[in-house]
Amino acid sequence: MAGSIFGKHFTIQTFGESHGDGIGVVVDGCPAGLSLATEDIQYYLNRRKPGQSKFATPRKEADEVEILSGIFDGKTTGTPIALLVRNTSQRSKDYSEIASYYRPGHADYTFDEKYGFRDYRGGGRSSGRETIGRVAGGAIALKLLKELGISVCAYTKSIGPVSIDYDNFNPDAILTTPTCMPDSKASELAEAYLEECMKDYDSSGGVIECVAKGVPAGVGEPVFDKLDACLSKAVMSIGSVKAFEIGAGASVATMRGFENNDSFVMKDGRITKATNHSGGILGGISDGSDIILRAYIKPTPSIFKEQNTVNKNGENITATIKGRHDPVIVPRAVVVVEAMTALTLVDLMMENATAKLENLKKIYESSI
């Protein structure tokens, strides 16, 4: 299976299946000397692990990370960092029935068409558990960014019809509400809505917003590796993400140019902008403003309602999906969006190091 490697300079290669022995990632390109411990990675894995609220799958997994290589005396050595999380709560029998038919909204049919064979236990590589490797690798990227004064924060903007009120924005609530909303009042409304979905044996989608602060101007390449294009690929590679926006996003199609353009102004001796419709990116290159992106997540396809589908014999049937599933994916995907954003930024910042001769001189001139 190709396509399990992300990045060019700071790379991750993920491996493992939902019901295999474990899930993991190999991170390559991390510079030597970064302080790193299991706690740095575990913090982010704890945010995505299952069983933390009634709105998440009841599958109980500790998701404890093991560092297998690349660390010595608490610091990165510059060699590949291998991370492993073992699966401990597989119930593959829950999925034996679906080997014979295709679940609506899942990758069952497309996997069979591509490979002629699939791991039907929880979806294999198409399972949400695949994101463990992304989050583990992203945790290292997030720590690198912190060393550079850059922060990345994602949160739930909306679930179903319920959206946050920015006047009530409280960053602490992201980690305390079961919805990962930074607005406790909106979270209560969203929780009530999810209760209705669950009573109806159904699920909900939502929107995740992510803000990166402190990214300097000049990051990103002007043609195929535009910063917004790379962020889009990174976030759209997350399962269940069906749309992506930067800045004002789709609403720019209804604006006029004078309204959409961000005026440049001098403030505190530096160039900045009066507004940020661009979402911090112009011409594919960061402009020094906050980078703002959004991921639109579809409703969880595994629902307990009876649905029409087709079996492998080509017969029309009805099916009710069994197993342990999230009524909403959004809260557990928040940290995955953070991770993929961080991985993209680190990779392009490393590429940017060779954009100007003065950058190379800073590294090598004193040693020549």
Side-chain angles (χ1 to χ4, degrees), residues 38 42 64-68 82-86:
T38 54
Q42 195 63 53
E64 293 180 353
V65 67
E66 301 173 37
I67 299 177
L68 305 181
L83 307 171
L84 176 66
V85 171
R86 299 184 188 276

Side-chain angles (χ1 to χ4, degrees), residues 142 145-146 148-153 210-215 291 345:
L142 285 158
L145 291 176
K146 188 176 180 180
L148 300 172
I150 298 169
S151 66
V152 179
C153 177
C210 184
V211 181
K213 294 180 177 290
V215 179
I291 294 173
L345 290 173

Side-chain angles (χ1 to χ4, degrees), residues 49-341:
K49 73 180 180 182
Q52 299 190 80
S53 80
K54 60 184 173 182
F55 304 120
T57 169
R59 177 174 174 169
K60 293 294 184 181
E61 292 278 4
D63 284 355
E64 293 180 353
V65 67
E66 301 173 37
I67 299 177
L68 305 181
S69 67
I71 309 294
F72 180 71
D73 277 349
K75 293 183 182 294
T76 56
T77 62
T79 59
I81 303 167
L83 307 171
L84 176 66
V85 171
R86 299 184 188 276
N87 293 326
T88 60
S89 182
Q90 306 97 312
R91 280 190 358 203
S92 301
K93 62 180 179 6
D94 288 344
Y95 298 91
S96 56
E97 183 182 310
I98 68 170
S100 64
Y101 67 83
Y102 301 119
R103 295 170 295 173
H106 287 77
D108 301 341
Y109 171 70
T110 52
F111 262 60
D112 263 2
E113 287 296 299
K114 181 173 178 64
Y115 298 107
F117 177 74
R118 64 184 163 95
D119 182 349
Y120 57 81
R121 304 166 303 167
R125 284 290 280 168
S126 65
S127 166
R129 256 187 101 61
E130 175 271 333
T131 61
I132 285 174
R134 299 167 182 253
V135 173
I140 300 174
L142 285 158
K143 185 147 195 192
L144 267 174
L145 291 176
K146 188 176 180 180
E147 292 282 323
L148 300 172
I150 298 169
S151 66
V152 179
C153 177
Y155 47 84
T156 300
K157 183 178 186 291
S158 67
I159 287 177
V162 182
S163 295
I164 63 171
D165 182 344
Y166 288 98
D167 289 336
N168 297 330
F169 196 100
N170 175 12
D172 294 335
I174 300 170
L175 300 178
T176 58
T177 59
T179 59
C180 291
M181 283 180 157
D183 174 356
S184 297
K185 292 182 180 178
S187 182
E188 290 175 4
L189 294 173
E191 291 165 47
Y193 173 73
L194 290 173
E195 293 275 12
E196 292 178 15
C197 291
M198 293 168 71
K199 287 177 183 176
D200 200 28
Y201 301 110
D202 219 335
S203 62
S204 175
V207 180
I208 294 170
E209 190 164 75
C210 184
V211 181
K213 294 180 177 290
V215 179
V219 177
E221 303 301 315
V223 186
F224 296 115
D225 283 342
K226 286 180 167 68
L227 176 53
D228 40 1
C230 291
L231 286 169
S232 176
K233 179 180 179 180
V235 173
M236 287 290 291
S237 74
I238 301 169
S240 297
V241 175
K242 302 303 291 183
F244 176 84
E245 283 186 339
I246 288 281
S251 66
V252 299
T254 61
M255 293 181 179
R256 292 191 177 191
F258 185 78
E259 178 188 7
N260 181 60
N261 287 345
D262 299 311
S263 299
F264 288 105
V265 296
M266 288 299 297
K267 185 177 180 181
D268 300 326
R270 59 183 288 267
I271 297 175
T272 184
K273 300 182 311 183
T275 55
N276 193 19
H277 296 126
S278 72
I281 302 171
L282 291 168
I285 302 170
S286 61
D287 62 26
S289 305
D290 290 352
I291 294 173
I292 303 171
L293 61 88
R294 279 167 230 99
Y296 289 72
I297 314 287
K298 73 177 184 179
T300 315
S302 293
I303 57 176
F304 299 117
K305 276 183 177 290
E306 187 174 79
Q307 300 177 83
N308 294 321
T309 188
V310 172
N311 63 21
K312 295 183 76 170
N313 295 325
E315 301 166 322
N316 293 315
I317 62 169
T318 59
T320 302
I321 298 173
K322 300 181 177 65
R324 299 165 290 177
H325 309 291
D326 304 77
V328 62
I329 295 169
V330 178
R332 292 179 60 211
V334 164
V335 70
V336 187
V337 172
E338 260 183 37
M340 295 308 297
T341 300

